[in-house]
Amino acid sequence: MSRIISLHNATAGYDGRPQVVGVNLDIDSRDFVGIVGPNGGGKTTLLRVILRLLPTMEGEVCYWNNGKKTDRLAIGYLPQYSNIDREFPISVEETVLQGLNGRKSLFSRFNAEHRQKVMKALEQLQVADLAHNPIRKLSGGQLQRVLFARAIVGEPEVLVLDEPNTYVDQQSEEMMRELIHALNRQCAVVTVSHDVDYIKSVASKIVEVNEKVTIKETF
């Protein structure tokens, strides 16, 4: 495995107040990184640092490709459910197409190949029959599966998931976990979860976040 993301002494937070401090973490190409900790402890903050959505106060976040620093990685991101505007007038297909924005030029349109990729992702999440539905008509579990499809449609190098099992039933949760493990054969997975027992059973690295960050390699 090769390193694809590294955090070196990374400190970050909001309004000048650190929420995660001095993080040193290497993420390799087939890692399964589980992030756990109490509510408000900084788990989502750490994800935002990894995604470069939140700048560091100290330290740095580097992306790597074949041992050389790079400005970009193909990252699929499933944000927290509470951050989604369910009333936005957009269909399921259009939502998942957003995951392919990086695969076309800025002003070009999505083509038939892009739409085929979308249908494949929706089929993997067993929601292809909802492709033309507006997202406001979806149940919580259906929307979560659609957002997961958006995260994987671009065949990411890193799959970043913030509480992916929110609002899904047990059958959907098991299906999504099986898909995550299958994808982990081709990409790194970084996931926030409250299910500590699950994370302990599958993660190659466990990151415990409560301002102070502790990293445990499990295998």
Side-chain angles (χ1 to χ4, degrees):
M1 293 190 295
S2 58
R3 176 176 58 172
I4 54 175
I5 300 176
S6 62
L7 280 65
H8 176 66
N9 198 32
T11 294
Y14 307 94
D15 300 323
R17 299 179 60 184
Q19 194 166 8
V20 291
V21 178
V23 183
N24 293 290
L25 172 65
D26 284 337
I27 300 173
D28 296 328
S29 57
R30 300 294 181 271
D31 265 343
F32 193 118
V33 180
I35 301 176
V36 299
N39 289 335
K43 300 186 300 296
T44 296
T45 298
L46 180 57
L47 277 195
R48 289 174 58 81
V49 171
I50 291 170
L51 291 162
R52 289 181 170 173
L53 296 175
L54 180 67
T56 57
M57 298 172 177
E58 297 179 9
E60 62 178 352
V61 181
C62 297
Y63 293 168
W64 301 85
N65 182 21
N66 294 323
K68 297 181 180 180
K69 289 184 180 179
T70 183
D71 291 332
R72 295 187 63 186
L73 286 174
I75 297 177
Y77 176 40
L78 174 63
Q80 280 191 352
Y81 183 90
S82 59
N83 292 335
I84 303 302
D85 180 5
R86 295 196 59 180
E87 296 304 313
F88 192 77
I90 190 172
S91 72
V92 166
E93 181 186 40
E94 290 166 333
T95 299
V96 181
L97 278 169
Q98 292 177 351
L100 293 171
N101 279 331
R103 299 297 182 93
K104 68 178 185 67
S105 60
L106 183 60
F107 298 107
S108 64
R109 296 185 177 185
F110 292 110
N111 58 33
E113 182 180 355
H114 293 135
R115 295 181 187 279
Q116 287 174 357
K117 287 180 180 294
V118 167
M119 290 307 297
K120 179 181 177 181
L122 290 173
E123 287 166 1
Q124 287 180 289
L125 274 301
Q126 300 178 13
V127 286
D129 58 317
L130 303 176
H132 301 297
N133 289 24
I135 62 170
R136 69 178 180 274
K137 291 190 175 181
L138 303 182
S139 69
Q142 288 171 336
L143 179 57
Q144 193 72 341
R145 284 197 262 173
V146 168
L147 297 173
F148 191 98
R150 183 181 66 178
I152 69 172
V153 68
E155 300 175 352
E157 298 168 81
V158 187
L159 182 60
V160 179
L161 311 168
D162 198 349
E163 296 288 355
N165 295 318
T166 305
Y167 290 107
V168 299
D169 57 28
Q170 185 175 354
Q171 181 178 357
S172 297
E173 180 177 343
E174 291 173 357
M175 180 263 295
M176 289 172 67
R177 285 181 173 176
E178 288 178 5
L179 182 54
I180 290 168
H181 296 313
L183 292 166
N184 190 215
R185 300 188 188 104
Q186 287 86 41
C187 73
V189 173
V190 182
T191 184
V192 167
S193 178
H194 286 292
D195 190 341
V196 177
D197 290 337
Y198 166 70
I199 292 299
K200 286 181 178 178
S201 71
V202 298
S204 55
K205 292 185 176 79
I206 299 174
V207 182
E208 298 177 353
V209 183
N210 190 6
E211 185 173 320
K212 181 181 178 182
V213 175
T214 303
I215 299 166
K216 300 178 180 178
E217 300 211 17
T218 58
F219 53 84

